[in-house]
Amino acid sequence: MSVSWIRPCSTPLVFPSKGVEDFIEHTLPFYQSYAPPLIASISAPTAQEFSTLAARLSEVPGIAAIEANISCSNIEEDGRAFAIEPVATARVIKALRQATSLPLWAKLTPNTSDVAAVAQAVEHEGGDAIVVGNTLLGMSIDVHSRRARLGNIMGGLSGPSIKPIMLRMVYQCHKHIAIPIIGCGGISNAEDAIAYLLAGASAVQVGTATFIQPQTMITLLDDLHHYCQQQGIRHISELTGALDDAALLANLR
Ligand SMILES: Cc1cc2nc3c(=O)[nH]c(=O)nc-3n(C[C@H](O)[C@H](O)[C@H](O)COP(=O)(O)O)c2cc1C
């Protein structure tokens, strides 16, 4: 079964949350009880608020890295995401870099015309990795009632339908930056994950597939292990950027 997911955009510009102190006191301890490294994902409507959040979380023991979700609406860019545009991206990553010495990941948006330029801006300002990426802006209409199906009319599309777009963006970014890329978008099995690695990702994230099938990650990891054994791959990094595109690119020249 192949299911995509569309979720409402945040209204108006800022996600409601209980704030960073509540997160540190009530949410973090649960996740700190697990062995894998803990990545804190943050989002804010201004570069200043992004920095304040990053600085506060950097004081908390046990956080391995900060993922700055710069793909959501913000006040400084008239409600557009920082990651739509390289100059705005550079400004927020520069502020974040000054605020934290933890590894800093930037989560990009596919809702941009030049993702490689945005990725380069992250790298130039000292970001340690990029995540490609967040949901694609979409909408859905009920033709019988003539109403939008989402309360906010537009929303973020995720799942298998966005995979070819995100895969292409990972490939484009890999050609332009040296920092690691974490691929994300429509991954629901080991083959999807391997495609992202071959396109240039060093790691992947899985979202929607785990809502549909909570066991997804376990099956994916088992199948990935099996693929590596079959192919004689000793380390997953051997797959990163290993797409055999040389002959095709030569033909294009
Ligand atoms: C219901 C839902 C909620 C999400 N919330 C967030 C969020 O709070 N922060 C974020 O960076 N991305 C969020 N995302 C985006 C996912 O992390 C992911 O980037 C996107 O869905 C594409 O991956 P997928 O196709 O594997 O879901 C959300 C996605 C969905 C479907």
Side-chain angles (χ1 to χ4, degrees):
M1 187 172 64
S2 167
V3 180
S4 280
W5 183 291
I6 189 159
R7 72 188 159 120
C9 293
S10 57
T11 313
L13 290 176
V14 189
F15 279 119
S17 92
K18 291 180 181 166
V20 69
E21 296 308 326
D22 187 273
F23 172 77
I24 291 167
E25 194 179 338
H26 298 296
T27 308
L28 212 46
F30 171 77
Y31 291 102
Q32 278 169 329
S33 64
Y34 289 91
L38 186 65
I39 317 298
S41 168
I42 61 170
S43 197
T46 67
Q48 176 60 50
E49 283 174 74
F50 254 118
S51 315
T52 307
L53 268 178
R56 179 69 185 100
L57 288 172
S58 304
E59 294 165 354
V60 180
I63 294 182
I66 290 181
E67 179 185 286
N69 173 16
I70 57 170
S71 30
C72 282
S73 304
N74 72 85
I75 288 169
E76 287 164 352
E77 301 295 323
D78 274 342
R80 286 174 293 129
F82 286 104
I84 283 180
E85 205 267 305
V87 174
T89 297
R91 191 159 47 76
V92 69
I93 297 300
K94 186 175 186 176
L96 278 161
R97 186 68 291 165
Q98 284 165 0
T100 183
S101 53
L102 284 175
L104 175 62
W105 304 359
K107 185 166 179 179
L108 306 192
T109 175
N111 304 309
T112 177
S113 57
D114 192 349
V115 72
V118 174
Q120 282 175 315
V122 173
E123 181 175 52
H124 187 256
E125 295 301 337
D128 297 296
I130 59 164
V131 182
V132 181
N134 215 312
T135 50
L136 202 70
L137 194 61
M139 70 184 280
S140 177
I141 295 174
D142 179 338
V143 294
H144 301 291
S145 66
R146 300 189 184 191
R147 289 192 172 163
R149 286 202 172 94
L150 297 178
N152 211 41
I153 301 178
M154 290 175 280
L157 183 67
S158 65
S161 56
I162 67 169
K163 195 184 71 185
I165 298 164
M166 312 307 282
L167 203 53
R168 179 264 297 173
M169 290 193 165
V170 166
Y171 178 76
Q172 286 178 311
C173 289
H174 182 64
K175 296 279 177 214
H176 288 89
I177 60 171
I179 56 175
I181 301 166
I182 298 149
C184 175
I187 296 172
S188 46
N189 55 44
E191 276 201 22
D192 295 338
I194 294 161
Y196 271 92
L197 296 169
L198 293 173
S202 297
V204 296
Q205 295 182 356
V206 179
T208 301
T210 59
F211 304 152
I212 298 159
Q213 175 50 264
Q215 303 288 315
T216 298
M217 287 304 288
I218 297 164
T219 316
L220 191 157
L221 284 170
D222 286 350
D223 292 349
L224 191 56
H225 187 68
H226 186 62
Y227 172 88
C228 288
Q229 272 182 335
Q230 267 187 339
Q231 300 264 329
I233 292 161
R234 282 188 296 174
H235 196 278
I236 202 79
S237 61
E238 291 171 35
L239 289 172
T240 297
L243 178 71
D244 187 3
D245 58 357
L248 285 174
L249 287 173
N251 276 345
L252 292 175
R253 285 194 192 104

